[in-house]
Amino acid sequence: MIPFSPPHIDQRHIDAVVEVLKSGWITTGLKTKSFEKKLALYAGNPNTLCVNSATAGLELMLHWFGVKAGDEVIVPTYTYCATANVVVHCGATPVFVDVDENFCISVEGIRNAITEKTKAIIPVDFAGFPCDYDAINALVHEPHFNHMFLPTSENQEKLDRILVLSDGAHSIGAHYKGKRTGNLTDATAFSFHAVKNLTTAEGGAIALNLPEPFKNEEVYQLLCIKSLHGQNKDALSKLKLGAWKYDIIEPGYKCNMTDITAALGLVELDRYETETLPRRKEIFKIYDSILKNYPWAQLPLYETAERTSSYHLYPLRVRGITEAKRDEMITKVSEHEVTVNVHFIPVPMMSYYKSRGYDIKNYPVTYDNYSREISLPVYYDLKDEQARLVAETVAKSY
Ligand SMILES: *Cc1c(COP(=O)(O)O)cnc(C)c1O
């Protein structure tokens, strides 16, 4: 059977974890700090905080910005539920915006959705392809929207505009106009979940890239405390002789990363540019080379002059097909022992969001993308001949 995205674990990963297990320190410590520094160096942003998921990272940032009941946060319909759930956790209202035909949140849609209550936008780099950040960043700086923005927290006053918080769960290593994700908006959440490009089993990070007058190092220190119960001293600093006293300065969250998972992350980051990304790209090219011969196959956009994907997902679309026929195609593919997937069932189609009154009919491009989409397997250990078999099996099932 060809699975969808198993992790690649070799002796380097095993050795790194064993080293931490034997070291006498297994929770947040030097490995986590080292992983944070290397992530920031890689993406080119000033400071990065590791947490236990991208979801926790997004929620931490919304909380830091003071997003609360009565506020609105703009999110795309075409994403995993995490992007919207964190908004609900804050008591705020997710305002869904349709995507364009390349799965990116529509910039015109954002423009029409902004109100006096809008506090943040969470664009999603779907499949690893960065959104149009110049357009999104320009939008939040437009004088008209600046006047509309009503700050209700210290950090909102300081930023004095809508926060752009990227959901980069798919897009670590992707480029937009020569810069990597993490260095494109105010803050970016990366995911290191088991199915993502760079994995720590579970994990995530917040790449901070806040403008003046914010000091990213200070915000980083604050978020460390916020991710650990609001405790002003972490376990490692408390370990020092005589340093037992601590204080709780706010009722914080508990979402710190452990050194065991950070050790995995360090190995993964080390091989990311040399092994992970080149192999994923090769698999994309194999899929292109076979599927481009079929007029019904709509190939994904993942490289342009200004943007390159992190090759996270290969979202094939089938022209002129219905949702039911697409589902039948997937059943046929599965009968040949090939695992494919659909990314994503749009959030407004989920029971909870339907019960809150959201309706997929209001997001026609999202529904069209979803109903015709099949994600093909992409992972480091997928062999060339297996990738060819996947593409040919999908073609046969059509
Ligand atoms: C995986 C994913 C998340 C959540 O990541 P976790 O690390 O599991 O919290 C958020 N957004 C998108 C688009 C994702 O695919």
Side-chain angles (χ1 to χ4, degrees):
M1 192 201 57
I2 297 179
F4 188 71
S5 62
H8 170 81
I9 301 292
D10 63 37
Q11 198 59 41
R12 291 169 293 182
H13 300 78
I14 294 164
D15 290 346
V17 168
V18 169
E19 184 203 319
V20 173
L21 290 175
K22 289 181 171 170
S23 75
W25 192 264
I26 56 177
T27 186
T28 314
L30 298 178
K31 290 282 179 203
T32 305
K33 299 297 151 190
S34 161
F35 186 36
E36 286 176 340
K37 292 220 163 64
K38 287 188 175 169
L39 282 167
L41 259 169
Y42 178 67
N45 62 296
N47 293 85
T48 294
L49 174 82
C50 282
V51 283
N52 63 9
S53 70
T55 308
L58 289 170
E59 192 162 341
L60 211 58
M61 284 310 291
L62 291 179
H63 192 263
W64 168 83
F65 200 52
V67 174
K68 55 176 187 349
D71 293 338
E72 293 175 355
V73 176
I74 294 174
V75 297
T77 38
Y78 211 94
T79 183
Y80 184 59
C81 66
T83 321
N85 283 356
V86 293
V87 178
V88 177
H89 293 172
C90 293
T93 304
V95 174
F96 289 104
V97 164
D98 207 352
V99 293
D100 62 23
E101 70 149 20
N102 297 314
F103 303 97
C104 300
I105 189 166
S106 153
V107 178
E108 272 319 290
I110 298 176
R111 177 184 295 284
N112 296 330
I114 293 176
T115 73
E116 302 79 29
K117 295 177 181 169
T118 309
K119 291 297 185 320
I121 302 170
I122 313 183
V124 176
D125 300 329
F126 175 78
F129 194 64
C131 298
D132 187 358
Y133 284 120
D134 276 0
I136 295 170
N137 288 331
L139 199 62
V140 297
H141 280 97
E142 278 182 25
H144 165 66
F145 291 131
N146 266 357
H147 288 305
M148 263 166 84
F149 185 73
L150 299 171
T152 52
S153 78
E154 207 181 306
N155 287 326
Q156 287 174 23
E157 253 161 50
K158 220 162 156 180
L159 189 67
D160 203 25
R161 61 164 170 80
I162 296 167
L163 178 79
V164 183
L165 170 60
S166 297
D167 180 335
H170 298 176
S171 68
I172 188 163
H175 287 91
Y176 179 86
K177 298 190 180 174
K179 287 183 184 177
R180 287 199 176 111
T181 53
N183 187 16
L184 298 166
T185 58
D186 300 319
T188 303
F190 294 128
S191 173
F192 309 133
H193 177 266
V195 302
K196 302 288 157 66
N197 277 18
L198 190 162
T199 186
T200 61
E202 295 283 356
I206 280 285
L208 292 171
N209 191 41
L210 292 158
E212 292 282 339
F214 288 101
K215 301 270 175 284
N216 285 284
E217 174 68 29
E218 273 172 29
V219 177
Y220 165 81
Q221 296 294 349
L222 241 148
L223 290 173
C224 281
I225 294 171
K226 203 182 261 303
S227 69
L228 220 138
H229 286 300
Q231 183 173 309
N232 66 349
K233 228 180 242 178
D234 67 18
L236 194 65
S237 350
K238 269 185 68 193
L239 197 73
K240 294 196 184 99
L241 271 178
W244 59 273
K245 249 188 193 166
Y246 63 90
D247 191 18
I248 299 298
I249 59 175
E250 63 168 319
Y253 292 87
K254 183 62 168 65
C255 56
N256 52 308
M257 179 177 274
T258 75
D259 268 15
I260 301 175
T261 45
L264 285 171
L266 283 164
V267 173
E268 285 282 275
L269 187 56
D270 230 24
R271 59 185 286 274
Y272 197 60
E273 281 289 319
T274 51
E275 298 176 21
T276 310
L277 286 181
R279 182 60 194 150
R280 299 186 81 94
K281 181 175 174 170
E282 279 167 10
I283 294 165
F284 270 53
K285 297 292 176 194
I286 294 172
Y287 287 153
D288 275 3
S289 71
I290 296 171
L291 294 166
K292 71 173 200 290
N293 302 311
Y294 298 99
W296 54 263
Q298 183 180 350
L299 310 188
L301 183 74
Y302 58 88
E303 284 168 342
T304 67
E306 291 178 340
R307 301 184 225 182
T308 50
S309 173
S310 63
Y311 313 97
H312 178 56
L313 295 172
Y314 189 94
L316 175 71
R317 275 168 292 177
V318 181
R319 292 185 210 275
I321 202 170
T322 61
E323 184 184 351
K325 284 283 173 195
R326 184 274 317 271
D327 293 354
E328 259 182 63
M329 253 182 95
I330 292 177
T331 306
K332 285 251 179 318
V333 172
S334 316
E335 284 164 6
H336 291 88
E337 307 266 294
V338 169
T339 315
V340 292
N341 233 313
V342 173
H343 292 88
F344 288 103
I345 304 171
V347 186
M349 290 176 77
M350 299 297 181
S351 300
Y352 169 73
Y353 287 92
K354 276 199 284 196
S355 78
R356 286 193 49 167
Y358 297 103
D359 188 343
I360 190 64
K361 285 200 185 69
N362 300 323
Y363 315 99
V365 185
T366 292
Y367 182 74
D368 178 62
N369 284 340
Y370 155 73
S371 63
R372 301 188 295 109
E373 201 267 357
I374 300 176
S375 306
L376 308 189
V378 182
Y379 54 92
Y380 184 76
D381 293 312
L382 187 73
K383 301 277 170 280
D384 287 9
E385 60 274 19
Q386 290 178 311
R388 285 194 288 269
L389 179 72
V390 168
E392 279 150 16
T393 306
V394 170
K396 234 186 287 166
S397 80
Y398 176 84

